[in-house]
Amino acid sequence: QVQLVESGGGLVQAGGSLRLSCTASGVNFRLGIMGWSRQTPGNQRESVAIITPVGSTTYDDSVKGRFTISRDIAKNTVWLQMNSLKPEDTAVYYCAYRNGATTNWGQGTQVTVSS
């Protein structure tokens, strides 16, 4: 059974940084894709960063150069380091694990960036 638990969200001023953590169980980092997505009220969830089984990373254009996704396979943990945060980064951030046609989601963590 896949379980993803996010932490690290909070309130930060524009220009600041936050580091989100996702502790996973029931997953295999060498088989599936780990990622972070975000969602604001009334909008669809959008992917911001992914890391593949071989460690390749991809970012949405809106966060390139500011966000970094990383992982520790031994600890079954994925992080999202967010720097130079902007008010438009405000959202609920979700950790995700995708293996084939199945995607599992965490419960989400709120990130609020004040101007």
Side-chain angles (χ1 to χ4, degrees):
Q1 182 178 357
V2 175
Q3 188 174 15
L4 306 171
V5 180
E6 302 102 332
S7 61
L11 173 65
V12 64
Q13 288 189 331
S17 298
L18 280 175
R19 188 192 195 203
L20 305 183
S21 298
C22 174
T23 301
S25 59
V27 304
N28 188 330
F29 282 15
R30 298 191 187 280
L31 294 180
I33 295 172
M34 294 296 300
W36 290 92
S37 296
R38 64 188 180 187
Q39 188 171 23
T40 54
N43 294 308
Q44 288 188 332
R45 197 169 296 184
E46 61 175 7
S47 175
V48 296
I50 64 169
I51 185 165
T52 70
V54 297
S56 299
T57 57
T58 303
Y59 299 92
D60 184 79
D61 286 345
S62 64
V63 306
K64 277 181 184 176
R66 301 188 298 121
F67 290 12
T68 302
I69 187 171
S70 61
R71 68 182 182 185
D72 185 324
I73 294 176
K75 294 181 180 179
N76 265 16
T77 300
V78 177
W79 295 276
L80 184 68
Q81 178 66 44
M82 306 186 293
N83 299 329
S84 302
L85 282 162
K86 304 175 182 179
E88 51 263 43
D89 294 318
T90 295
V92 177
Y93 283 72
Y94 296 89
C95 178
Y97 174 73
R98 188 173 85 220
N99 188 357
T102 302
T103 300
N104 299 98
W105 299 95
Q107 82 287 353
T109 185
Q110 176 70 46
V111 171
T112 303
V113 184
S114 63
S115 57

